[in-house]
Amino acid sequence: QLQAAVVARPEKPQAGKLTWHVVAQRPLRLLIPPGESVGQLRDLMQRLNWVRYSRHTTTGRLAAQIVHRYVPDKRSIVELDTISAVAGMVSAGHGFSVAHVLDDTLPARYPMQCLPLGRNVPTFDIALVHRKGDEDDRAIDVLLQAVRRTLR
């Protein structure tokens, strides 16, 4: 039975049965193939195919907002459910993506450029979530402290 999870906190977290502990904030990043020149962001997004991260996720929806801010009519060539799959497609030269990168080893495993999107890019909250009834559970508290240290 799952007691806790570390997730991107939804924009409107479900109230009631769950307790949310925000442990970090992260910006979305621009992922582009190795050797690709950046230039102007709008030109890059128009020139390359879009490898979309799932619209069913908080970070996937934020990423789509960013892409459509620069290129309103942009359509993706594929929509994938994992960041590793997105990174693989970008690394192979199939296009760009806007996504979260929580694992610092991702660009080493999938050679690509992982670039900041600028100062006004939306951030997302990373949260540890558990059932309300588990607030006094020592194991949850230890996990929460470990996650905070790790994501610092």
Side-chain angles (χ1 to χ4, degrees):
Q1 180 178 354
L2 183 66
Q3 287 188 296
V6 177
V7 298
R9 186 175 68 125
E11 295 169 32
K12 298 176 183 169
Q14 185 180 33
K17 297 180 180 181
L18 300 175
T19 298
W20 296 83
H21 302 274
V22 174
V23 293
Q25 274 194 335
R26 294 287 191 272
L28 295 175
R29 310 284 286 190
L30 175 66
L31 310 179
I32 61 174
E36 185 68 45
S37 62
V38 179
Q40 293 294 318
L41 200 50
R42 182 179 318 281
D43 295 340
L44 179 126
M45 289 182 178
Q46 287 175 329
R47 185 176 75 250
L48 296 178
N49 291 321
W50 177 22
V51 178
R52 184 177 187 157
Y53 181 55
S54 175
R55 72 185 81 205
H56 301 293
T57 66
T58 299
T59 55
R61 285 188 297 277
L62 282 172
Q65 290 171 10
I66 292 168
V67 170
H68 290 133
R69 182 185 316 151
Y70 287 95
V71 187
D73 58 346
K74 189 72 173 182
R75 294 193 182 275
S76 61
I77 59 162
V78 66
E79 183 171 343
L80 302 167
D81 291 334
T82 69
I83 293 301
S84 293
V86 168
M89 292 287 287
V90 170
S91 179
H94 295 292
F96 78 94
S97 192
V98 173
H100 65 275
V101 178
L102 299 180
D103 178 359
D104 294 335
T105 68
L106 192 70
R109 289 184 288 130
Y110 300 97
M112 65 181 163
Q113 298 177 68
C114 180
L115 306 170
L117 283 160
R119 289 189 308 254
N120 297 324
V121 66
T123 59
F124 63 96
D125 293 335
I126 303 168
L128 182 120
V129 61
H130 60 82
R131 292 184 304 267
K132 278 222 188 274
D134 290 342
E135 282 137 343
D136 296 327
D137 186 320
R138 177 75 179 125
I140 298 285
D141 187 52
V142 169
L143 178 61
L144 178 59
Q145 299 314 314
V147 169
R148 282 187 172 141
R149 278 193 306 276
T150 302
L151 293 177
R152 217 180 277 164

